């Protein structure tokens, strides 16, 4: 019988385990999934840290992401090049942050990055408009979108500069204490699912400005409740 394939050294596995929320076994399973996405690119032997990246187009079609309206921004935010090309380290970081084990504070940091579409370290009105349009599949009129975004800034902007800093954003989502439970319940069953639409797009009274703001606040952090890795045996 042949020798078992060595994928990582013990030191590499220890480092991944120390820097993520995964066990050594889960890291190996993640490598299996990474390899399956592009077997012609991804080697089985990672002991020499190969410089391999998988393009965004392959990553966003994974079951955990393909129904998420922010899938492109999620992948871009975790890519070192900012374009969505993921190395294995980027891939592991993304799954670690989106896992159920990651703390809310860490998820909030990446949620802010994902909604900062123009990458200026603020969430401005234009960022909010893009966020709301993605959440509602552009079912609101421009006037309704404008009304909700103005309400969001009015409610969440603590320093009056007409845009949201990370502190503003963190304060906003802290006022929705049940969102993690709500969104985990909806999204974790949604690997191929309609539950995202059911949870996000059927909120009552969305056209009322006050309630629309709370709709946006509660669900603008959709990815904080994103499905966990749902790791499957390779």
């Amino acid at each position: 019988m042949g020798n078992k394939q060595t994928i990582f050294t013990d030191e590499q596995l220890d480092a991944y385990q120390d820097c993520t929320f995964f066990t050594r076994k889960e890291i190996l399973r993640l490598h299996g999934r990474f390899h399956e996405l592009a077997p012609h690119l991804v080697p089985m032997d990672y002991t020499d840290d190969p410089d391999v990246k998988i393009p965004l187009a392959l990553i966003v079609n994974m079951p955990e992401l393909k129904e998420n309206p922010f899938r492109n921004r999620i992948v871009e935010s975790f890519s070192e090049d900012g374009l969505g090309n993921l190395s294995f380290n980027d891939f592991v970081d993304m799954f670690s942050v989106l896992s159920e084990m990651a703390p809310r504070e860490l998820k909030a940091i990446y949620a802010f990055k994902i909604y900062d579409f123009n990458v200026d370290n603020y969430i401005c009105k234009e960022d909010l408009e893009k966020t709301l349009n993605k959440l509602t599949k552009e079912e609101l009129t421009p006037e309704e979108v404008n009304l909700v975004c103005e309400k969001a800034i009015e409610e969440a902007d603590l320093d009056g500069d007409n845009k949201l800093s990370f502190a503003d954003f963190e304060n906003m989502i802290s006022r929705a204490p049940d969102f993690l439970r709500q969104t985990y319940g909806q999204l974790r069953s949604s690997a191929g699912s309609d539950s995202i639409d059911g949870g996000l797009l059927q909120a009552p009274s969305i056209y009322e400005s006050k309630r629309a703001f709370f709709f946006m606040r509660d669900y603008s952090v959709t990815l904080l409740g994103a499905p966990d890795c749902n790791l499957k045996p390779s």
Side-chain angles (χ1 to χ4, degrees), residues 17-154:
Q17 189 169 252
D18 290 343
C19 297
T20 69
F21 300 99
F22 298 130
T23 65
R24 293 163 66 105
K25 186 176 181 179
E26 287 169 331
I27 293 297
L28 291 172
R29 288 178 176 174
L30 270 180
H31 172 268
R33 297 198 63 190
F34 194 66
H35 176 76
E36 288 171 1
L37 288 171
H40 59 294
L41 291 176
V42 179
M44 289 302 295
D45 185 350
Y46 257 72
T47 56
D48 59 351
D49 292 317
D51 183 19
V52 174
K53 293 184 179 180
I54 294 181
L56 177 145
L58 295 177
I59 303 292
V60 296
N61 282 315
M62 296 183 69
E64 294 87 351
L65 291 173
K66 67 180 181 180
E67 300 296 332
N68 193 305
F70 299 97
R71 55 190 174 274
N72 282 37
R73 284 295 302 142
I74 290 172
V75 177
E76 289 166 356
S77 296
F78 283 95
S79 64
E80 187 176 355
D81 63 12
L83 300 175
N85 302 302
L86 298 190
S87 67
F88 181 66
N89 287 347
D90 297 332
F91 187 76
V92 172
D93 286 343
M94 180 178 72
F95 269 79
S96 184
V97 172
L98 296 183
S99 74
E100 190 174 18
M101 297 298 294
R104 175 187 175 121
E105 293 77 16
L106 179 60
K107 291 176 182 288
I109 291 170
Y110 280 92
F112 184 82
K113 290 178 63 175
I114 288 162
Y115 301 130
D116 178 17
F117 285 86
N118 60 11
V119 197
D120 66 351
N121 296 317
Y122 289 95
I123 296 178
C124 62
K125 186 178 178 183
E126 289 75 19
D127 294 326
L128 290 173
E129 289 172 351
K130 291 179 180 179
T131 297
L132 187 59
N133 280 326
K134 285 185 177 295
L135 285 172
T136 62
K137 292 187 176 179
E138 300 188 356
E139 291 183 351
L140 300 183
T141 67
E143 292 76 16
E144 290 163 339
V145 169
N146 182 67
L147 182 65
V148 175
C149 292
E150 286 184 349
K151 188 64 180 178
I153 291 176
E154 176 187 337

Side-chain angles (χ1 to χ4, degrees), residues 120 122-125 153 157 159-165 168:
D120 66 351
Y122 289 95
I123 296 178
C124 62
K125 186 178 178 183
I153 291 176
D157 179 20
D159 56 10
D161 60 358
N162 292 315
K163 56 188 176 182
L164 305 185
S165 65
D168 296 331

